[in-house]
């Protein structure tokens, strides 16, 4: 298989599309937790009860299809190899928990992998919609649509006062977790994020450095999501999250402009050095790779370097994870072996592009 | 939630570390997170609910003060009639056994939910379409009743009468739905 083929199989189709504000927001995710009436929750259930739930859901949903939802592919966990499962985890289409522990679990996917559903994870059903860039309302609409269609076939556990009943009390109510993945290199470099993040969490949002440590999250990637699911409508949750994200976008953009204005040469130097390291390394650790990819992506956004696709950060961040590296290598790898493969993969990937010096946006 | 390293500052950063499919959660303040540095590489998980499970181990209605053990003693006898889960198992796992547990533990639940959901304990969001027709009407009626009371308080009796008629209409529709 050629590298291009490998990449196009490995990356979810939706990741290749541009999205609104995707200079800063990498992706948006909406997740809904749902359970069916009269079946025990998966976390406490027996294999037989879990199988019965799976069978019921499969029978109800696989027979019919919905125009807007499209055709769904069912992937039962017990039919997948270990590597295939890990790839699903690294693509965020399933959780490690489902991949590792469940024999009665499944992942249900649509064509472009924007819509997915886990069966028998912590809740009976976990509906998920992924979209490129900043698309909270669009993501919710799609999730809502799928939710309505599912609910027309099965009976949800729902209570007037408590809303959608979930296995964990932190999800009850709307069962909704809305998340936005942001690339915030300028706010990190100027150490503004240290002051912003506590305020964001005080407003009831959870901030996670996805690859990372502390305020220097790996690759400068941060995920912001709602903490509360009860007592607020889906629309309110989305509006509040949108407000916070818009403020972060504006600050990040302003700071990038300031950096460019006062330090264009230094910035351009950093971007090209990062490119040099990524394009020439023979061994590279994931942390180093992530940080240089972040700098390179900033350079692309600021037009300091040209000829490299903007989604290279999203793409390579996915590809440099262990299971993809092993798939790429077509064998199991040690940590050292992975560092070597990672360097090779990134080098090869960058060869597909023809870079030029950019002009900057001054 | 407090930082699990220093137990002093508010934890603002939450990490999930996955090594050989073993998942560990970390909740840290910024300062401790910085010091920790490299320790949590390769995190990529998505779920956030675990970070609050620690809260459940304290009975929020009493704190840890006097009368605590007595209250806990009572609570511990609660059991779900459907899945047989005991309240103490729920507290230990922070997971319900089935949807009927909500009803079985309801005496203890609201303070916990309030604590987890910023003071809220009542759902105001989406209602499932198929089973929700009746619920929707009920919710609409109750919000109209509040509206009617506001009009009465302001002595806007004409408006109040309009709202009252609307309530009657919906009540009839609701009775019809229930009759089905
Ligand atoms: Zn601390
Ligand atoms: Zn139960």
């Amino acid at each position: 298989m050629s590298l291009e083929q490998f990449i196009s199989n490995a990356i979810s189709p939706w990741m290749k599309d541009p999205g609104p504000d995707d200079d800063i927001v990498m992706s948006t995710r909406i997740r809904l937790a749902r359970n069916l009436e009269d079946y025990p929750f998966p976390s406490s259930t027996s294999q037989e009860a879990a199988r019965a739930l799976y069978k019921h859901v499969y029978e109800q949903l696989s027979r019919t299809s919905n125009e807007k939802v499209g055709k769904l592919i069912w992937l039962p966990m017990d039919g997948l190899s270990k590597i295939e499962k890990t790839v699903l985890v690294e693509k965020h289409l399933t959780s490690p928990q489902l991949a590792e522990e469940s024999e009665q679990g499944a992942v249900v996917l649509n064509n472009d992998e924007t819509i997915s559903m886990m069966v028998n994870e912590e809740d009976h059903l976990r509906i998920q919609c992924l979209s490129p860039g900043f698309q909270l309302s669009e993501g919710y609409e799609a999730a809502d649509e799928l939710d309505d269609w599912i609910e027309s076939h099965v009976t949800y556990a729902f209570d007037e006062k408590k809303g959608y009943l979930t296995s964990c009390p932190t999800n009850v109510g709307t069962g909704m977790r809305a998340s936005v993945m942001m690339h915030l290199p300028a706010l990190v470099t100027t150490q503004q994020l240290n002051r912003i993040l506590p305020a964001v969490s005080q407003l009831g949002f959870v901030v996670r450095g996805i690859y990372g440590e502390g305020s220097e999250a790996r690759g400068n990637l941060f995920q912001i999501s709602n903490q509360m699911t009860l007592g607020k409508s889906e629309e309110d949750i989305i509006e509040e999250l949108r407000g916070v994200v818009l403020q972060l976008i504006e600050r990040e953009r302003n700071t990038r402009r300031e950096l460019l204005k006062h330090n264009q040469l230094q910035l351009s130097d950093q971007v090209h050095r990062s490119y040099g390291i990524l394009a020439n390394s023979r061994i590279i650790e994931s942390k180093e790779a992530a940080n240089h990819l972040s700098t390179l992506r900033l350079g692309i956004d600021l037009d300091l370097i040209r000829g490299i696709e903007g989604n290279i950060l999203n793409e390579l961040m996915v590809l440099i994870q262990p299971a993809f590296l092993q798939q790429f290598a077509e064998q199991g790898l040690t940590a050292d072996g992975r560092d070597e493969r990672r360097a090779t993969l990134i080098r090869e990937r960058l060869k597909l592009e023809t870079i030029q010096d950019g002009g900057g946006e001054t | 939630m407090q930082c699990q390293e220093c137990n002093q500052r508010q934890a603002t950063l939450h990490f999930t570390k996955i090594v050989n499919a073993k998942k560990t959660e970390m909740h840290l303040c910024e300062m401790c997170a910085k010091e920790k540095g490299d320790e949590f590489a390769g995190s990529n998980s998505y779920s956030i609910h675990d970070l609050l499970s620690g809260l459940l181990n304290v009975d929020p209605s009493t704190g840890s003060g006097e009368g605590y053990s007595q209250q806990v003693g009572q609570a511990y006898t609660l059991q779900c009639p459907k899945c047989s889960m005991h309240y103490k198992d729920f507290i230990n796992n922070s997971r319900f056994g089935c949807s009927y547990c909500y009803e079985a533990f309801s005496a203890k639940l609201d303070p916990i939910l309030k604590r987890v959901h910023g003071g809220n304990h009542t759902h105001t969001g989406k209602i499932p379409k198929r089973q929700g027709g009746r619920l929707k009407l009920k919710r609409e009626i109750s919000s109209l009743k509040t509206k009617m009371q506001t009009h009465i308080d302001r002595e806007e009796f004409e408006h109040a009468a309009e709202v009252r008629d609307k309530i009657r209409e919906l009540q009839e529709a609701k009775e019809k739905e229930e009759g089905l």
Side-chain angles (χ1 to χ4, degrees):
Chain A
M1 189 170 23
S2 76
L3 181 70
E4 274 159 287
Q5 262 179 317
F6 173 74
I7 291 172
S8 79
N9 291 346
I11 298 294
S12 295
W14 65 268
M15 284 185 76
K16 292 167 199 147
D17 296 329
D21 300 306
D22 63 1
D23 54 330
I24 298 184
V25 178
M26 319 278 292
S27 61
T28 305
R29 176 200 316 249
I30 303 286
R31 188 217 70 197
L32 302 175
R34 297 290 187 256
N35 289 282
L36 271 60
E37 220 171 63
D38 293 324
Y39 288 88
F41 292 150
S43 47
S44 70
T45 203
S46 64
Q47 290 288 337
E48 294 92 283
R51 193 174 306 128
L53 179 278
Y54 180 83
K55 195 165 165 263
H56 177 66
V57 171
Y58 182 77
E59 276 170 6
Q60 295 303 312
L61 299 184
S62 65
R63 275 198 219 127
T64 58
S65 70
N66 173 295
E67 215 177 288
K68 286 196 180 145
V69 172
K71 195 177 154 41
L72 296 172
I73 306 147
W74 290 67
L75 302 170
M77 280 298 137
D78 60 4
L80 299 176
S81 72
K82 198 164 187 258
I83 269 268
E84 286 170 324
K85 287 187 206 175
T86 318
V87 165
L88 286 174
V89 172
E90 290 177 0
K91 283 168 108 173
H92 294 287
L93 295 171
T94 182
S95 66
Q97 192 186 339
L98 190 74
E100 283 309 311
E101 288 157 28
S102 170
E103 287 165 40
Q104 308 304 329
V107 177
V108 185
L109 288 175
N110 75 340
N111 254 337
D112 60 2
E113 299 175 7
T114 49
I115 288 176
S116 61
M117 181 169 77
M118 287 187 269
V119 183
N120 271 330
E121 211 249 8
E122 182 185 292
D123 292 295
H124 292 147
L125 306 176
R126 286 271 175 106
I127 297 164
Q128 175 175 281
C129 285
L130 289 160
S131 21
F134 189 28
Q135 303 197 59
L136 278 168
S137 306
E138 294 84 350
Y140 177 65
E141 261 170 51
D144 190 37
E145 187 101 36
L146 179 61
D147 183 44
D148 285 346
W149 175 70
I150 294 168
E151 197 249 334
S152 69
H153 293 90
V154 301
T155 304
Y156 283 153
F158 182 85
D159 175 81
E160 208 178 321
K161 289 217 171 67
K162 302 282 173 266
Y164 293 93
L165 302 177
T166 52
S167 176
C168 182
T170 55
N171 291 316
V172 74
T174 60
M176 181 174 84
R177 203 69 66 193
S179 309
V180 175
M181 180 83 77
M182 306 187 78
H183 183 222
L184 303 172
L187 290 178
V188 172
T189 314
T190 56
Q191 304 203 327
Q192 291 181 62
L193 207 62
N194 296 342
R195 279 175 284 129
I196 300 170
L197 289 191
V200 171
S201 70
Q202 295 240 302
L203 290 169
F205 297 94
V206 177
V207 181
R208 319 190 114 213
I210 48 147
Y211 287 89
E213 60 263 42
S215 53
E216 289 161 50
R218 206 154 275 207
N220 299 316
L221 290 170
F222 295 86
Q223 187 186 55
I224 324 277
S225 36
N226 64 303
Q227 178 161 313
M228 288 162 245
T229 55
L230 188 63
K232 284 179 183 171
S233 71
E234 290 79 358
E235 289 77 12
D236 291 343
I237 293 169
I238 281 171
E239 272 321 299
E240 286 173 17
L241 181 57
R242 188 203 310 282
V244 168
V245 171
L246 281 174
Q247 281 195 36
L248 284 167
I249 290 176
E250 201 193 311
R251 284 200 188 211
E252 171 69 22
R253 281 202 188 124
N254 288 341
T255 311
R256 286 183 186 185
R257 266 198 292 276
E258 285 296 305
L259 283 175
L260 194 60
K261 203 165 136 196
H262 300 293
N263 305 297
Q264 185 173 336
L265 186 60
Q266 289 88 335
L267 216 53
S268 176
D269 180 63
Q270 272 178 24
V271 169
H272 286 89
R273 279 168 188 268
S274 284
Y275 177 81
I277 289 169
L278 293 168
N280 292 293
S281 295
R282 263 47 184 177
I283 301 168
I284 196 164
E285 282 181 16
S286 70
K287 179 185 173 184
E288 191 187 2
N291 288 336
H292 288 306
L293 283 168
S294 166
T295 307
L296 183 59
R297 172 66 203 251
L298 180 65
I300 296 167
D301 289 335
L302 293 178
D303 196 32
L304 293 168
I305 193 163
R306 285 177 188 162
I308 306 175
E309 270 183 64
N311 69 2
I312 195 160
L313 172 63
N314 319 36
E315 191 186 288
L316 283 174
M317 278 300 211
V318 171
L319 293 174
I320 62 178
Q321 299 176 98
F324 280 112
L325 291 174
Q326 298 196 6
Q327 240 197 2
F328 178 61
E330 293 171 347
Q331 59 185 349
L333 293 171
T334 60
D336 289 344
R338 285 207 293 271
D339 289 348
E340 191 192 333
R341 280 291 158 174
R342 183 176 297 114
T344 310
L345 178 63
I346 294 171
R347 256 187 3 252
E348 294 294 316
R349 174 63 186 81
L350 287 174
K351 270 190 207 154
L352 301 175
E353 312 269 350
T354 29
I355 74 138
Q356 303 131 35
D357 213 0
E361 286 176 339
T362 37
Chain B
M1 170 174 269
Q2 272 185 348
C3 169
Q4 66 185 63
E5 274 296 300
C6 62
N7 285 317
Q8 280 175 5
R9 289 172 288 266
Q10 174 91 6
T12 53
L13 295 151
H14 311 282
F15 303 102
T16 309
K17 176 178 171 182
I18 298 157
V19 178
N20 298 328
K22 278 265 177 301
K23 197 165 112 181
T24 351
E25 299 260 346
M26 301 224 57
H27 315 294
L28 301 174
C29 69
E30 310 247 345
M31 283 169 103
C32 296
K34 260 194 188 149
E35 280 170 24
K36 279 260 153 195
D38 269 342
E39 270 185 49
F40 14 43
S43 336
N44 62 359
S45 172
Y46 181 64
S47 73
I48 73 150
H49 51 255
D50 285 334
L51 65 95
L52 286 162
S53 59
L55 286 178
L56 299 176
N57 289 312
V58 180
D59 189 316
S61 57
T62 57
S64 51
E66 228 165 281
Y68 176 64
S69 49
Q70 192 195 344
Q71 271 240 345
V72 169
Q74 283 168 10
Y76 272 27
T77 61
L78 293 174
Q79 190 183 7
C80 174
K82 189 91 175 176
C83 72
S84 328
M85 180 176 268
H86 288 275
Y87 183 71
K88 76 169 170 2
D89 298 329
F90 163 62
I91 290 299
N92 288 338
N93 310 328
S94 71
R95 300 289 187 279
F96 295 103
C98 75
S99 56
Y100 295 86
C101 292
Y102 279 90
E103 187 60 41
F105 305 150
S106 67
K108 291 268 129 197
L109 221 48
D110 277 0
I112 290 174
L113 293 178
K114 269 187 175 177
R115 210 171 149 131
V116 175
H117 296 284
N120 301 316
H121 58 74
T122 306
H123 180 59
T124 53
K126 183 176 178 178
I127 294 173
K129 282 209 165 58
R130 193 166 52 86
Q131 60 209 103
R134 191 182 56 83
L135 293 177
K136 226 175 217 164
L137 285 170
K138 210 172 151 189
R139 192 183 278 186
E140 226 169 293
I141 290 167
S142 103
S143 97
L144 284 174
K145 278 184 178 161
T146 318
K147 204 171 157 191
M148 182 170 75
Q149 193 55 49
T150 317
H151 285 310
I152 292 171
D153 291 346
R154 292 184 192 154
E155 303 188 359
E156 299 160 347
F157 298 114
E158 237 171 87
H159 289 299
E162 277 170 31
V163 177
R164 181 203 56 208
D165 293 344
K166 179 81 190 150
I167 292 173
R168 273 193 195 145
E169 225 173 89
L170 293 181
Q171 233 142 14
E172 274 166 33
K174 185 177 151 239
E175 273 155 31
K176 222 171 146 191
E177 284 248 352
E178 279 165 353
L180 286 175

